[in-house]
Amino acid sequence: MKRKLVKYHMFIVEGAAALALLMLTSALLSGRNADAGAKRAACVNNLKTLSYCLLLYCEDNDNNYPAGHARSELLPMLKIYEINDRIFVCPESADGKPDYAYLLAGIDLKISRLTHPEVLPVIICRKHGKNAVIAFADGHVETCTVPQENYSYENIVLQATADHRHKKISGLDTVLANARDLDRKTRKTTP
């Protein structure tokens, strides 16, 4: 009789140890997901700040968006709004360099000419796995899920505007052309 109790007792101890190990693994994995979620939330806040600065810039400059040809040219244009340099860097960035893609580079576009600013992507961050963070011309920011195999800037823009294809979105052709150009530059610099 004593032997059966010992065997039963060992089964409970082994089960409790396995359960504790499972709970510890689950806690570690959820901590990683929470960290990624916090970085994505910080990125959303960065893009929201940048999109508001773009709207302020438009208001101060006869409704024109900045026509800088590169992200490095966008920084000095928005610096007058006393924003921190870190706002241009995604929290997921390993090198600490500005890495948001500004899609209105090199064009002369007035905000008043936009027919659907709530649909036109202006800034994209694609540092969050299959989730792209997108700032739109009206100032709002969304996260868009894009399949990993189609993770080009062009496909992110197409995915973000997919539900609105029936609308005539002014500026979309230029945004798509800039997205393709960024994709070409990215392919050239990637080994």
Side-chain angles (χ1 to χ4, degrees), residues 90-166:
C90 176
E92 287 283 350
S93 180
D95 57 7
K97 294 180 183 174
D99 47 14
Y100 295 135
Y102 178 57
L103 299 174
L104 298 179
I107 62 171
D108 183 29
L109 182 66
K110 285 188 175 285
I111 195 169
S112 56
R113 289 190 202 148
L114 296 179
T115 53
H116 296 285
E118 74 280 2
V119 180
L120 187 67
V122 176
I123 304 171
I124 292 178
C125 175
R126 59 180 195 174
K127 294 268 183 188
H128 303 280
K130 63 181 179 178
N131 295 309
V133 181
I134 306 167
F136 292 85
D138 69 342
H140 86 277
V141 177
E142 293 180 8
T143 302
C144 177
T145 302
V146 179
Q148 199 70 32
E149 63 274 2
N150 297 330
Y151 209 57
S152 66
Y153 287 111
E154 179 183 11
N155 285 329
I156 293 170
V157 170
L158 291 172
Q159 181 76 26
T161 58
D163 294 339
H164 306 281
R165 289 287 159 69
H166 61 282

Side-chain angles (χ1 to χ4, degrees), residues 27-142:
L28 289 173
L29 289 176
S30 67
R32 254 188 248 152
N33 291 340
D35 187 41
K39 287 180 179 180
R40 189 169 48 246
C43 182
V44 166
N45 287 334
N46 286 355
L47 288 189
K48 190 172 284 285
T49 301
L50 285 174
S51 64
Y52 287 151
C53 287
L54 284 173
L55 292 174
L56 285 171
Y57 182 93
C58 289
E59 190 174 303
D60 292 344
N61 292 282
D62 196 31
N63 287 329
N64 288 314
Y65 276 99
H69 291 280
R71 293 177 287 254
S72 59
E73 294 175 15
L74 189 60
L75 178 65
M77 289 182 196
L78 298 181
K79 232 10 197 165
I80 59 172
Y81 302 108
E82 298 182 15
I83 56 175
N84 193 320
D85 290 350
R86 291 184 313 212
I87 214 83
F88 289 90
V89 180
C90 176
E92 287 283 350
S93 180
D95 57 7
K97 294 180 183 174
D99 47 14
Y100 295 135
Y102 178 57
L103 299 174
L104 298 179
I107 62 171
D108 183 29
L109 182 66
K110 285 188 175 285
I111 195 169
S112 56
R113 289 190 202 148
L114 296 179
T115 53
H116 296 285
E118 74 280 2
V119 180
L120 187 67
V122 176
I123 304 171
I124 292 178
C125 175
R126 59 180 195 174
K127 294 268 183 188
H128 303 280
K130 63 181 179 178
N131 295 309
V133 181
I134 306 167
F136 292 85
D138 69 342
H140 86 277
V141 177
E142 293 180 8

